[in-house]
Amino acid sequence: MRQNNLIAAAALVMTLGAAHAQAPTERPFAGTGAFPALSEPIANLPTHTIYRPSDVRALKGAKLPIIAWGNSNCANDNSFYRPLLTEIASHGYVVVAIGPWNEKAPAPPGAPAPGAATQPSQLIDAINWAQAENVRKGSALEGVLDTEKIAVAGHSCGGVQALFVSPDPRIKTSLIMNSGINGRPSGARNVQITKDTLNQLHAPIAYLIGGPSDIAYANAMDDFARIDRVPAVIANLPLGHMGNYGLPMGGPFAPIAIAWLDWQLKGDRKAKAVFAGARCGLCGDPAWSVQSKKLQEVK
């Protein structure tokens, strides 16, 4: 079953350990999904980078959901996440990430360089840009985006940025990775947010957290306990705060993130089984600790 394949993929990348750098290849990593992906600068949105299938003709009429991405430390650089975001894009998504395109190789494990702090509004910029490109004549994305299927996602401070904008009615799901709202009014760099934001959520939300050693663990668990209006899941894998995103294929969180997006944005029933049901795939994996609420309400 596909859910077992996703869990197996997560287990596979865990075995890669500290081997964060890919062996030299003739071509850059293009993801393992059905649509080999690339990253490139955006001429009319130079503050961001796009990750997308390289050949939109190969979509054969399929529409690509949109994901707006924020970085750890609210940094203006997404290169650390290149393996993760490329992997997601290769499964049939367009990811618009905060930070200009960086041709340098992805950074090694550890916090990305802080750079200039970015703003949550840049996630909204990403969504607005994608929706406009879908109808712009001559755009590489003209007519290929599903502008009704939009997610916000981010790691650490970028996850708080995603939470900040999650009340936007266009957003169909939020994916919060190694992140949560601090109980104080100012819970992250340049993001003024309180727990009251959780009462404004209107769409399903998933937290992928690195276990008790993750500095975001307490904040995330408290967020989950407070959420009572929307379907929610929180899944912990004891990796700590950085999540091994620099590993090939984006680390062990990548297939789980893709499963959540496939369920929420594409209605994939097999992906749903990773999180929900009597035989929830993650629930039966001893490496993971999973809690959920209201998932039966998701179609």
Side-chain angles (χ1 to χ4, degrees):
M1 294 178 64
R2 185 170 182 271
Q3 65 165 307
N4 293 331
N5 292 339
L6 290 164
I7 304 301
L12 173 63
V13 291
M14 286 185 69
T15 67
L16 298 176
H20 64 274
Q22 296 172 235
T25 58
E26 293 183 0
R27 299 180 179 177
F29 175 64
T32 66
F35 309 105
L38 55 76
S39 63
E40 61 185 2
I42 304 174
N44 56 352
L45 190 69
T47 52
H48 292 63
T49 299
I50 187 171
Y51 294 79
R52 64 170 179 86
S54 56
D55 183 4
V56 295
R57 294 170 299 178
L59 298 173
K60 297 181 179 179
K63 300 290 186 179
L64 303 173
I66 301 162
I67 303 166
W69 173 266
N71 311 303
S72 174
N73 209 17
C74 294
N76 198 35
D77 182 3
N78 57 71
S79 63
F80 176 79
Y81 304 99
R82 189 171 298 152
L84 171 69
L85 302 182
T86 303
E87 177 68 12
I88 291 173
S90 77
H91 287 264
Y93 294 92
V94 159
V95 184
V96 186
I98 293 176
W101 186 72
N102 185 348
E103 65 180 350
K104 295 180 180 179
T118 60
Q119 302 294 331
S121 60
Q122 291 179 261
L123 294 173
I124 300 300
D125 293 342
I127 294 169
N128 291 342
W129 174 84
Q131 290 184 320
E133 286 297 291
N134 192 57
V135 296
R136 183 175 69 85
K137 294 297 182 182
S139 166
L141 300 177
E142 182 183 0
V144 305
L145 301 182
D146 189 339
T147 57
E148 298 298 317
K149 299 295 178 65
I150 298 172
V152 288
H155 174 230
S156 193
C157 186
V160 179
Q161 290 180 321
L163 283 162
F164 187 92
V165 303
S166 288
D168 187 302
R170 296 173 295 177
I171 291 166
K172 296 299 187 287
T173 190
S174 302
L175 180 59
I176 311 303
M177 306 178 82
N178 307 93
S179 186
I181 299 173
N182 193 306
R184 298 187 298 275
S186 180
R189 189 181 187 211
N190 277 20
V191 186
Q192 300 296 320
I193 188 171
T194 70
K195 296 284 186 177
D196 290 340
T197 298
L198 301 172
N199 296 324
Q200 302 173 47
L201 297 176
H202 62 88
I205 186 169
Y207 287 76
L208 300 184
I209 309 299
S213 66
D214 186 340
I215 60 173
Y217 176 82
N219 292 343
M221 296 302 292
D222 183 66
D223 280 7
F224 178 79
R226 292 170 183 258
I227 294 170
D228 59 8
R229 298 187 178 187
V230 298
V233 64
I234 188 164
N236 272 277
L237 184 67
L239 294 176
H241 188 59
M242 293 312 294
N244 287 354
Y245 297 113
L247 287 176
M249 297 182 287
F253 281 164
I256 309 307
I258 292 166
W260 178 260
L261 295 168
D262 281 353
W263 177 22
Q264 300 302 316
L265 300 182
K266 298 181 179 180
D268 189 314
R269 306 297 291 181
K270 292 181 179 179
K272 175 181 179 178
V274 174
F275 305 94
R279 297 184 178 180
C280 156
L282 278 183
C283 304
D285 188 330
W288 290 82
S289 173
V290 184
Q291 298 178 51
S292 64
K293 56 182 69 173
K294 296 181 179 290
L295 293 187
Q296 71 278 5
E297 298 181 6
V298 183
K299 295 180 181 181

